[in-house]
Amino acid sequence: MAIGKIALIANPAAQNGRGSWAAVEAASHLRARVGDDGFRLLLTERPGHAMALAAGLGEEVGAVIALGGDGIVNEVASGLMERPAAARPALGVIPAGSGNDYAATLGMASSIPRAIDQILAFRTGPADIGRVNGRYFVETLSFGLDAAIALDTMERRVRTGRAGTRLYLESAVDQLFHHLEIYDFALNVLRAAPGLAPIYLKGSCYLFAVQMGPTYGGHFRITPEASLDDGLLDLCWATPTLTAKRALAVLLAARFGRHTGNRHIHFERAEALELSFGCEPPAQIDGEKIEGDHFIIDCIPGALTVIFG
Ligand SMILES: [Mg+2]
């Protein structure tokens, strides 16, 4: 398959302005490889702009590259979903954000020139996309403790300009030891995974994650078996009672996907589900805050064509 024209969408304001350097670097490497006519650099001017840019791409564009973190990937993918399925260019990612979980799921290199090599090799495949109350997510939707950590990490990142796993862990320790809350929830599986019975259960949890890919929060392997193209949402939740110390140990184990045997950790898979909470929990999709206490969630199989590393 020919790659067609490439559109590179970047947020110059990302990472306290470092996004513009990443855009310049990516554009100069692309220019060297495909020439001025082979690509177009589109810079976002405001939140939500990447979605409009992706939705409005011309038919000559065969690949759209989101340069940045999970936030801009989410926007670009959401823009592609506004187009008819047959008119969605392939989605590639050059990781240049602070949360690069989707890029890792696709197997992208962290250096810009190497990621461009991978994109130009154009190894594509289908990927599912998740939808919650009408909004799309590419990698992660989560509620409770992990969303609180993700949102607090983002707030610290903006405030301090720092990034990385260490910042996430600082946030995690603060949330675990000072804000460890329990959320009552009801899970109603609307469409079960093939071969599984639909379930309805009420319970309480520290966190509830609904995953497309295996990781969140900067490469924590919360659902290590999750696959982007199985048509299923991978669910993981953690139930009481854990002390803050034990919860921290479970979280650290989750960094490497080694939390799966713990009796407080539960997994399910489903095509569609309804999730209700007794009170509004902290919630995030692909690192952005969302609000509400009642969520209808489904998986749209093979909605995107993605470029793998
Ligand atoms: Mg899946």
Side-chain angles (χ1 to χ4, degrees), residues 128 211-212 226-234:
D128 309 333
Q211 295 284 126
M212 306 305 299
S227 154
L228 277 187
D229 64 353
D230 60 357
L232 299 172
L233 304 157
D234 270 53

Side-chain angles (χ1 to χ4, degrees), residues 70-71 74 78 130-132 134-143 147 150-151 154 210 283-291 295:
D70 292 327
N74 179 296
S78 300
R131 179 167 52 184
V132 54
R135 286 181 68 175
Y136 297 103
F137 59 101
V138 293
E139 177 77 17
T140 174
L141 159 69
S142 73
F143 306 94
L151 296 170
M154 197 163 52
V210 180
Q284 63 86 26
I285 46 172
D286 295 331
E288 302 289 327
K289 183 180 166 69
I290 59 165
E291 294 179 340
F295 302 90

Side-chain angles (χ1 to χ4, degrees), residues 134-203:
R135 286 181 68 175
Y136 297 103
F137 59 101
V138 293
E139 177 77 17
T140 174
L141 159 69
S142 73
F143 306 94
L145 174 65
D146 45 358
I149 296 171
L151 296 170
D152 183 65
T153 303
M154 197 163 52
E155 194 269 325
R156 283 168 195 250
R157 202 178 280 147
V158 170
R159 189 155 41 88
T160 65
R162 295 166 56 220
T165 303
R166 195 194 158 99
L167 192 67
Y168 185 87
L169 286 174
E170 282 175 18
S171 246
V173 168
D174 185 39
Q175 292 293 322
L176 282 166
F177 286 87
H178 304 114
H179 310 280
L180 188 56
E181 291 190 31
I182 293 170
Y183 303 91
D184 292 330
F185 72 94
L187 163 65
N188 183 14
V189 170
L190 303 171
R191 283 203 314 274
L196 296 181
I199 54 170
Y200 178 82
L201 69 87
K202 284 186 162 186

